[in-house]
């Protein structure tokens, strides 16, 4: 770590006018006066990138499609940052501080060749250090890179690219701190535009921030958080619009200890999966044919939580449509095998009260997982996991996904084989006995196991009905989606049923709305190939989620979430969980009301 070096990033709003650029120059000068060396990364001014996109779309009558068009697209969009870096360098010089601006090519930010969505491979720091050691402030263009030092083909990093540039520079330079300046004071417990009572979080873990960023929190791009987490970068989010002396400290994003980085390793394209984990002490319970109305999940999991049982995975499938009978759901969940009998007694009692068809208990299951922050934005990783298990002839009973982890419930007798196969495929030594998280002693997490609530209104749900229940089905579907570049979020696989006398299940998943059309085309092809009953698409959904590193060790968090929705009269259509996230799909028009109700239920409007 290089003492005294800070990387600061200023977004488009922060440099949106000459007056704001001059204010940024004052802030940078203040940091220099504190004895720090400073590298500044800036975005294009205000809506300049949007203006450039509009110009390009007028010429192309749409978005670029060919490699040649994408090359010119990057040439076009990269010009916005060149204006803002020169203006900021001039403003600093005017204040009497030696400064110069550098494009990505002048710095040596080398990326992959993927125009419009390049990833950073290496940053050559020699020139940066020459200027820093002369006492100069270096102002670097964010969002852009080059394919090599000799070829100099310009690339852009995609949405959130300037955040990514800043954190990558902090890694390459060994900076003591990376500050992300934006138009909000930091990370809030919810979007303050939708929940006025939302409070500023003084601190949040990188894992929690990854989940919130992936769920639509637009303060930081997930790729920047991924890099910070990988390399232990100290990351702080602050407002550039607050007065210099009276501004808050913003939010500190806490990463695990820094890992050793090989000089030859790429910054963004490290190993996607770094953990294969087996939990062999699981039991699965399924309530089949649960009435589809508000409050059902709340009643079940409140009673389970009251007995002190800690639930692991929770999945609620697509509901059976009224055309097929009375609307119903299947709710499946897992607990430790030692608590299976107690959980089964509660489930049967609640199931009888609710009038569900049956309660199934299977104590011969295990959970195998892959994890790694490098999985983010790489749709082929989950598909590869499913392919490996399919080739081993291992059937998937449940699937759970988060940004950095995929878990599958399989038969216990095949679990060891599954873990070894995944370890070999991803070149990771499996952890054959999962270490359970101990109850957290941090009083902040004890009183606030949920750190934030997020709402994603830009999701679509797709479902394949009556898919044959055999090894390879998920691998086939999600492999094809990965080939089409579709990024899948929540995956729900229903309990086994029978269609035309053969075992089958329903598979539902959510995708970003702008990828729904491509996903639907793939699903229709796959449904025909697998002889599934059909494909359903729903664009009128919202996904509300709770995130918190302390949730795993405290029973009742999910129940409290479900109860908040029930009390607001909001029906839950799908449920998906991971260790630090619970997500529910609801009707789109109920999304903001759901967000506000859940925020109140966890008392996140109170001082933290």
């Amino acid at each position: 770590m290089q003492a005294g070096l800070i990387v600061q990033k200023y977004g488009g709003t922060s440099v949106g006018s000459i007056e704001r650029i001059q204010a940024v120059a004052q802030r940078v000068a203040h940091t220099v006066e504190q004895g720090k060396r400073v590298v500044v990364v800036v975005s294009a001014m205000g809506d300049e990138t949007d203006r450039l996109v509009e110009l390009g779309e007028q010429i192309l009558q749409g978005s670029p499609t060919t490699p040649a068009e994408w090359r010119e697209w990057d040439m076009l969009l990269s010009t916005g940052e060149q204006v803002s870096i020169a203006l900021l360098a001039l403003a600093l010089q005017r204040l009497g501080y030696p400064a110069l601006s550098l494009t990505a090519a002048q710095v040596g930010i080398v990326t992959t060749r993927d125009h419009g969505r390049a990833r950073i491979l290496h940053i050559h720091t020699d020139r940066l250090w020459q200027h820093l050691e002369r006492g100069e402030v270096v102002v670097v263009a964010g969002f852009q890179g080059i394919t090599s030092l000799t070829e100099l083909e310009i690339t852009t990093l995609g949405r959130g690219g300037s955040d990514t540039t800043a954190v990558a520079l902090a890694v390459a330079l060994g900076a003591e701190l990376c500050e992300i300046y934006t138009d909000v004071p930091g990370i809030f417990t919810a979007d303050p535009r939708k929940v006025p009572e939302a409070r500023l979080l003084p601190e949040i873990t990188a894992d929690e921030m990854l989940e919130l960023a992936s769920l639509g929190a637009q303060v930081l791009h997930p790729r920047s958080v991924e890099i910070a987490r990988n390399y232990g970068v100290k990351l702080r989010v602050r407002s550039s619009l607050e007065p210099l002396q009276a501004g808050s400290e913003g939010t500190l994003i806490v990463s695990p200890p820094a890992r050793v980085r090989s000089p030859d390793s790429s910054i963004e394209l490290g190993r996607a999966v770094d953990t294969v984990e087996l939990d062999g002490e699981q039991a699965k319970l399924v309530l089949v044919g649960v009435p589809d109305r508000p409050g059902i999940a709340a009643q079940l999991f409140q009673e389970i939580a009251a007995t002190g049982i800690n639930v692991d995975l929770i999945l609620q499938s697509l509901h059976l449509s009224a055309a097929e009978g009375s609307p119903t759901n299947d709710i499946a969940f897992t607990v430790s095998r030692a608590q299976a009998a107690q959980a089964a007694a509660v489930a049967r009692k609640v199931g009888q009260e609710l009038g569900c068809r049956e309660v199934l208990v299977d104590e011969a299951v295990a959970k195998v997982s892959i994890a790694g922050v490098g999985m983010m934005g790489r749709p082929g990783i989950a598909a590869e996991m499913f392919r490996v298990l399919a080739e081993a002839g291992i059937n998937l009973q449940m699937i759970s996904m988060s940004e950095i982890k995929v878990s599958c419930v399989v038969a216990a007798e095949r679990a060891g084989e599954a873990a070894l196969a995944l370890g070999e495929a991803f070149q990771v030594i499996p952890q054959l006995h999962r270490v359970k998280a101990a109850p957290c002693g941090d009083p902040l997490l004890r009183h606030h196991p949920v750190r934030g609530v997020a709402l994603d209104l830009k999701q679509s749900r797709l479902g394949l009905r009556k898919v044959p229940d055999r090894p390879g089905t998920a691998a086939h579907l999600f492999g094809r989606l990965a080939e089409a570049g579709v990024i899948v979020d929540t995956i729900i696989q229903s309990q086994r049923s029978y269609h035309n006398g053969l075992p089958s299940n329903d598979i539902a998943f959510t995708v970003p709305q702008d990828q729904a059309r491509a996903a639907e085309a793939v699903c229709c092809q796959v449904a025909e190939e697998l002889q599934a009953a059909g494909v359903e698409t729903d664009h009128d959904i919202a996904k509300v989620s709770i995130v918190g590193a302390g949730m795993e060790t405290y029973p009742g968090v999910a129940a409290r979430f479900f109860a908040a929705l029930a009390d607001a009269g909001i029906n839950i259509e799908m449920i998906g969980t991971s260790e630090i996230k619970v997500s529910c799909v609801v009707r789109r028009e109920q999304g903001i009301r759901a967000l506000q109700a859940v925020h109140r239920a966890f008392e996140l409007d109170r001082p933290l």
Side-chain angles (χ1 to χ4, degrees):
M1 178 178 290
Q2 182 65 40
L5 173 62
I6 291 179
V7 175
Q8 295 181 339
K9 178 263 177 178
Y10 294 89
T13 303
S14 300
V15 294
S17 65
I18 294 300
E19 292 75 20
R20 287 187 175 179
I21 288 174
Q22 291 170 330
V24 166
Q26 293 278 1
R27 194 175 293 274
V28 173
H30 177 72
T31 306
V32 173
E33 288 299 321
Q34 293 177 320
K36 305 296 184 182
R37 288 181 281 194
V38 184
V39 173
V40 185
V41 176
V42 293
S43 302
M45 294 177 65
D47 298 325
E48 176 64 9
T49 301
D50 293 337
R51 187 185 73 85
L52 294 170
V53 167
E54 185 177 344
L55 290 174
E57 288 179 340
Q58 288 176 17
I59 294 291
L60 295 178
Q61 296 183 333
S63 299
T65 55
T66 69
E69 289 175 351
W70 273 111
R71 179 192 183 276
E72 303 309 324
W73 196 259
D74 279 358
M75 289 285 286
L76 172 66
L77 298 193
S78 64
T79 62
E81 281 71 23
Q82 192 164 334
V83 173
S84 55
I85 60 173
L87 290 173
L88 180 56
L90 287 170
L92 284 163
Q93 292 169 9
R94 194 69 176 172
L95 292 174
Y97 294 86
L100 85 162
S101 61
L102 296 175
T103 65
Q106 292 171 314
V107 172
I109 300 175
V110 180
T111 72
T112 62
R113 296 175 177 274
D114 305 304
H115 286 289
R117 52 186 178 87
R119 286 179 175 261
I120 296 174
L121 297 175
H122 308 286
I123 298 179
H124 297 267
T125 59
D126 291 349
R127 185 171 182 183
L128 288 169
W129 280 119
Q130 289 173 12
H131 294 296
L132 288 168
E133 288 170 358
R134 291 202 291 260
E136 296 171 318
V137 175
V138 185
V139 185
V140 178
F143 179 65
Q144 61 182 240
I146 54 172
T147 54
S148 73
L149 293 179
T150 55
E151 196 175 44
L152 299 178
E153 282 293 307
I154 293 175
T155 59
T156 62
L157 307 180
R159 189 174 69 86
S162 293
D163 291 350
T164 304
T165 300
V167 181
L169 280 167
V171 171
L173 294 167
E176 68 175 55
L177 175 66
C178 181
E179 294 182 316
I180 306 293
Y181 282 91
T182 181
D183 55 355
V184 295
I187 310 301
F188 284 78
T189 53
D191 185 341
R193 293 169 298 182
K194 298 181 175 71
V195 183
E197 301 81 16
R199 300 189 69 87
L200 179 68
L201 289 164
E203 189 174 290
I204 190 171
T205 70
D207 284 346
E208 291 169 332
M209 189 66 239
L210 276 172
E211 295 290 359
L212 288 172
S214 70
L215 291 166
Q218 298 178 3
V219 179
L220 274 177
H221 193 273
R223 278 171 62 186
S224 65
V225 185
E226 173 190 356
I227 297 171
R229 185 191 184 282
N230 270 344
Y231 298 104
V233 174
K234 187 177 180 182
L235 190 59
R236 188 179 292 278
V237 179
R238 307 179 69 174
S239 172
S240 65
L241 306 183
E242 293 182 340
L244 185 58
Q245 303 298 333
S248 74
E249 288 296 308
T251 302
L252 179 66
I253 298 166
V254 181
S255 296
R259 75 185 191 191
V260 178
R261 176 174 171 255
S262 166
D264 298 327
S265 65
S266 62
I267 291 177
E268 280 203 90
L269 291 183
R271 178 178 288 175
V273 174
D274 55 27
T275 303
V276 173
E277 189 177 79
L278 172 64
D279 184 350
E281 299 298 321
Q282 291 250 315
K284 180 182 73 172
L285 297 92
V286 185
L287 279 74
V288 181
V290 179
D292 181 39
R293 61 174 184 265
I296 297 298
Q299 181 179 344
L300 170 62
F301 291 104
Q302 280 177 327
E303 296 206 26
I304 288 175
T307 64
I309 296 171
N310 206 349
V311 176
D312 186 3
L313 303 182
I314 304 172
L315 300 178
Q316 177 177 301
S317 67
L318 279 169
H319 66 76
L320 177 69
S321 67
E324 297 174 89
S326 299
T328 62
N329 294 308
D330 295 344
I331 299 178
F333 61 97
T334 61
V335 298
S336 69
R337 196 170 297 161
Q339 294 183 311
Q342 189 179 9
V346 175
R348 290 190 178 102
K349 172 180 173 293
V350 174
Q352 186 174 15
E353 294 170 355
L354 297 177
C356 72
R357 288 204 305 272
E358 60 180 325
V359 176
L360 306 176
V361 181
D362 187 352
E363 296 188 36
V365 299
K367 182 178 73 173
V368 62
S369 307
I370 60 171
V373 292
M375 293 168 55
M376 293 184 58
R378 301 187 196 179
I381 301 301
E384 176 66 7
M385 178 188 191
F386 303 152
R387 183 195 64 79
V388 169
L389 296 178
E391 289 183 353
I394 297 171
N395 205 24
L396 309 183
Q397 299 185 25
M398 293 172 69
I399 300 169
S400 170
M401 291 186 66
S402 73
E403 276 297 304
I404 58 174
K405 191 170 189 176
V406 183
S407 299
C408 296
V409 174
V410 301
E413 62 183 13
R414 305 295 305 277
E417 183 184 350
L420 292 173
L422 291 170
E424 181 177 354
F426 292 106
Q427 299 183 326
V428 175
I429 298 174
Q431 300 175 14
L432 299 182
H433 299 282
R434 182 180 175 231
V435 179
K436 299 285 187 180
C440 184
D442 186 335
L444 182 62
L445 292 183
R446 185 164 61 248
H447 295 296
H448 293 279
V450 172
R451 305 285 283 141
V453 185
L455 175 67
D456 191 345
L457 294 170
K458 297 180 180 179
Q459 291 265 312
S460 293
R461 178 178 63 193
L462 292 94
L464 270 71
R465 290 289 197 181
K466 310 301 181 187
V467 180
D469 184 28
R470 59 175 181 259
T473 297
H476 183 65
L477 170 60
F478 294 106
R480 293 283 294 276
L481 288 167
E483 290 171 4
V486 175
I487 297 175
V488 175
D489 188 4
T490 306
I491 298 176
I492 307 294
Q493 180 173 288
S494 72
Q495 178 61 23
R496 174 185 289 182
S497 59
Y498 286 86
H499 178 58
N500 295 330
L502 298 174
S504 67
N505 50 42
D506 298 336
I507 300 177
F509 58 94
T510 59
V511 299
Q513 274 187 353
D514 59 4
Q515 295 186 334
R517 182 174 296 180
E520 186 173 15
V522 172
C523 286
C524 289
Q525 293 172 358
V526 171
E528 186 175 346
E529 293 162 1
L530 296 177
Q531 297 184 321
V535 176
E536 293 185 3
T537 305
D538 189 349
H539 304 295
D540 195 28
I541 65 166
K543 184 174 68 175
V544 60
S545 306
I546 56 174
V547 173
M551 293 190 337
E552 185 182 9
T553 57
Y554 291 95
V557 173
R560 194 171 172 185
F561 180 16
F562 304 152
L565 295 178
D567 290 345
I570 296 171
N571 198 31
I572 299 172
E573 300 188 10
M574 286 172 63
I575 300 171
T577 67
S578 67
E579 279 87 350
I580 68 169
K581 179 180 74 174
V582 181
S583 297
C584 292
V585 170
V586 301
R587 287 290 88 198
R588 179 182 173 85
E589 65 269 16
Q590 297 177 322
I592 292 178
R593 188 156 55 90
L595 178 73
Q596 295 169 343
V598 174
H599 193 271
R600 284 193 302 272
F602 286 98
E603 301 179 342
L604 295 177
D605 51 345
R606 297 185 180 182
L608 299 175

